[in-house]
Amino acid sequence: MAIIGCDNQFFCAYTDPSLTSVDLHPEEMAQSAVRELLLARESSSRSFAMVRDATLVIRESCGAQLGFRKL
């Protein structure tokens, strides 16, 4: 069984086995949200859609580093 988490919390690297996680880059997401809110104040009819990049941080919980799976 492989287990992954979401948000790549600081403790993921310290669990046993270390938890594979998807890093959604919350700092960048917050900066973008604030920027869009400030722009929305200027134009009430403004709408937007945003697609953000995510990064898979591979650790032992998916078996990759333990040798159970081949990438």
Side-chain angles (χ1 to χ4, degrees):
M1 177 185 313
I3 298 175
I4 66 167
C6 190
D7 290 344
N8 195 30
Q9 296 292 321
F10 73 93
F11 56 82
C12 292
Y14 302 107
T15 60
D16 188 21
S18 56
L19 183 63
T20 297
S21 187
V22 176
D23 189 347
L24 300 173
H25 309 288
E27 298 86 10
E28 294 173 17
M29 193 179 310
Q31 290 173 354
S32 296
V34 169
R35 190 176 316 112
E36 291 299 327
L37 283 171
L38 293 173
L39 290 172
R41 273 192 335 182
E42 298 169 4
S43 173
S44 61
S45 62
R46 181 169 159 58
S47 66
F48 70 97
M50 186 179 302
V51 177
R52 305 284 311 169
D53 288 332
T55 306
L56 179 62
V57 181
I58 299 175
R59 296 189 182 99
E60 293 175 336
S61 69
C62 71
Q65 293 180 353
L66 296 176
F68 297 137
R69 295 180 183 215
K70 293 183 181 181
L71 295 177

